[in-house]
Amino acid sequence: MGIFISYILLGLSLAAPIGPVNAAQIDRGVRNGFLHSWLVGLGAVLADIIYMLIVYLGVAHVINTPFVKSFLWLFGCFILLYTGIESLTSSHKLGMSNERKKEPLSQSFLSGFLMSIANPLTIIFWLGIYGAVLAKTAASYGTKDLFIFSSAIIIGLLLWDITMATVSSGFRKWLKARTLSYIGVLSGIVLIGFGIYFGIQGVQEILHFSFIHLFSFPYA
């Protein structure tokens, strides 16, 4: 039981560092409430599960090809810039609970999923963390235990999702409209910052790939 709890804590610690998904959850929580924020995190958890399966099935090398990584970086850049700009433009409406128009729940879920699935760092992250879990479990336990420990990690991710949704949606009840607006602006800036970073990484990946191919041709 102690080992199971330790893997739940591992899942919590993996989800805790501030990133684009957490920033988006805060933004959705203060704008639209618990359910929208929770669905953003749930979409990201689904992407994490997909990447865990990719690592488990041993096909992570496909995601790590230069072409796919470039596509993911640039696609992630688009998603984050769009979400960040949308957060900035709607931040002034955070205090107008009766006038604001909530986005569809499916859009919140899809937003979290795309942010996570289009992040090459996610597969690198899971390759290192989950790959180590696979190696350790395979050496000490069986397939059944691997499923149990993997489930514990997912439980940890889901617990953090609920925590973030609860905290961010609670901001609306205690903070003034102007403060909520500032939070929306800050979330938007963070998302745009991550988007720019993703874009730079995507361009560098393309240039690096092109440079290698340019000088790989044999000279006559």
Side-chain angles (χ1 to χ4, degrees):
M1 187 63 182
I3 299 177
F4 184 79
I5 293 176
S6 69
Y7 277 98
I8 292 179
L9 294 176
L10 174 61
L12 281 167
S13 64
L14 295 178
I18 288 295
V21 173
N22 283 343
Q25 278 195 277
I26 294 173
D27 176 60
R28 293 307 198 285
V30 298
R31 281 201 290 136
N32 298 320
F34 174 86
L35 199 55
H36 287 79
S37 178
W38 176 67
L39 284 172
V40 169
L42 193 63
V45 171
L46 176 60
D48 287 335
I49 293 173
I50 290 174
Y51 276 130
M52 288 173 73
L53 287 173
I54 288 174
V55 174
Y56 177 78
L57 296 173
V59 294
H61 63 279
V62 176
I63 306 295
N64 275 322
T65 58
F67 174 78
V68 175
K69 286 174 68 176
S70 300
F71 171 79
L72 290 176
W73 280 122
L74 295 177
F75 183 62
C77 170
F78 170 77
I79 295 296
L80 291 170
L81 288 179
Y82 174 84
T83 306
I85 292 172
E86 196 272 339
S87 177
L88 285 178
T89 55
S90 62
S91 61
H92 66 285
K93 302 177 182 178
L94 285 173
M96 308 175 187
S97 58
N98 295 327
E99 298 178 20
R100 77 183 192 280
K101 182 180 179 181
K102 288 188 177 182
E103 67 180 9
L105 293 173
S106 58
Q107 185 175 333
S108 295
F109 178 83
L110 185 62
S111 177
F113 176 77
L114 291 177
M115 279 185 200
S116 190
I117 203 74
N119 185 354
L121 292 178
T122 306
I123 183 61
I124 296 173
F125 185 74
W126 283 113
L127 185 61
I129 301 298
Y130 191 60
V133 171
L134 284 176
K136 179 180 178 181
T137 306
S140 307
Y141 305 96
T143 306
K144 180 181 177 181
D145 296 292
L146 176 60
F147 175 78
I148 294 173
F149 295 154
S150 300
S151 300
I153 294 175
I154 295 172
I155 290 172
L157 296 173
L158 291 172
L159 286 174
W160 180 257
D161 177 24
I162 294 173
T163 301
M164 283 295 296
T166 301
V167 172
S168 61
S169 60
F171 285 160
R172 284 202 68 87
K173 301 175 182 178
W174 304 109
L175 300 180
K176 295 181 179 180
R178 178 173 293 185
T179 307
L180 291 174
S181 180
Y182 290 154
I183 293 174
V185 170
L186 181 60
S187 298
I189 292 174
V190 170
L191 289 169
I192 290 173
F194 276 112
I196 293 173
Y197 172 76
F198 274 40
I200 292 173
Q201 293 299 315
V203 172
Q204 287 182 343
E205 192 73 38
I206 292 173
L207 292 176
H208 180 69
F209 179 71
S210 301
F211 181 82
I212 291 176
H213 275 259
L214 179 64
F215 290 96
S216 62
F217 292 105
Y219 291 97

